[in-house]
Amino acid sequence: MKKRFSSLLLLILAAALLLCACAAPALRDDLTTAQLSETVDALLANAKYLDEADGDYLRFNLPGTADATNRLVRFSVAGQCLDEYGIFHAASPEGVGALEKACADYLQKRNDAWMNEYLVEEYPKLRDAEVFTMGNYVFYLILSESDKDLVLNALSETLKK
């Protein structure tokens, strides 16, 4: 009986350790969107063609992000690529959902307005664009799949405590 109890206790302890190992890592919440943008730009070959959106652009195109404590959008101004990304920081976990929705709505609006004859080879970036959340940060990425992977890995590493 005592041996069974010890075995059961050992099994429970092993399960608890396994659950702890699977928990999401703690993320930083003290970086500005400009600091995260530097991380992203360092990875993108087309970063030199990206310009930062002004307040009017954000107000018109991403009105649901107005409550973000910090927000930054960089998009292509060269007309030869569609590379674009947005970084938004919510004041609290409760604000993340609204930012995710605003970004998803923006991507949908961009897709709905797409003209098929324009930069046909670039369209997969927009079609496959996604919204990602890491802690209180919300990102949308209109990038190639390989660039998205690079950016997400770098952001994940940057935001780890």
Side-chain angles (χ1 to χ4, degrees), residues 6-160:
S6 296
S7 297
L8 182 59
L9 187 59
L10 189 59
L11 181 63
I12 290 171
L13 182 60
L17 288 173
L18 183 61
L19 283 175
C20 289
C22 294
L27 297 176
R28 297 178 65 171
D29 195 40
D30 61 335
L31 298 174
T32 67
T33 56
Q35 289 170 309
L36 293 172
S37 177
E38 289 174 11
T39 299
V40 174
D41 285 349
L43 300 169
L44 300 178
N46 291 327
K48 62 185 170 219
Y49 302 117
L50 302 181
D51 201 7
E52 190 171 330
D54 63 15
D56 288 338
Y57 183 90
L58 294 172
R59 214 172 359 273
F60 180 76
N61 291 293
L62 288 144
T65 65
D67 289 337
T69 59
N70 211 262
R71 57 189 182 157
L72 182 143
V73 169
R74 291 197 22 96
F75 60 95
S76 177
V77 293
Q80 59 191 357
C81 74
L82 282 185
D83 289 4
E84 179 179 334
Y85 65 87
I87 305 172
F88 306 89
H89 183 241
S92 66
E94 293 75 33
V96 169
L99 293 176
E100 289 171 332
K101 182 180 180 340
C103 290
D105 290 349
Y106 172 71
L107 293 177
Q108 185 61 54
K109 184 168 68 171
R110 290 282 314 271
N111 266 291
D112 292 346
W114 182 255
M115 295 182 291
N116 290 331
E117 64 277 359
Y118 180 70
L119 293 174
V120 175
E121 67 283 354
E122 290 286 297
Y123 178 65
K125 292 178 182 180
L126 179 58
R127 180 194 64 215
D128 300 333
E130 296 178 73
V131 177
F132 302 92
T133 302
M134 295 181 193
N136 287 347
Y137 295 95
V138 176
F139 310 90
Y140 74 79
L141 303 175
I142 302 174
L143 300 169
S144 68
E145 288 300 318
S146 59
D147 281 347
K148 268 197 284 191
D149 290 342
L150 281 173
V151 166
L152 289 172
N153 287 333
L155 288 171
S156 179
E157 287 300 314
T158 301
L159 290 172
K160 280 184 186 173

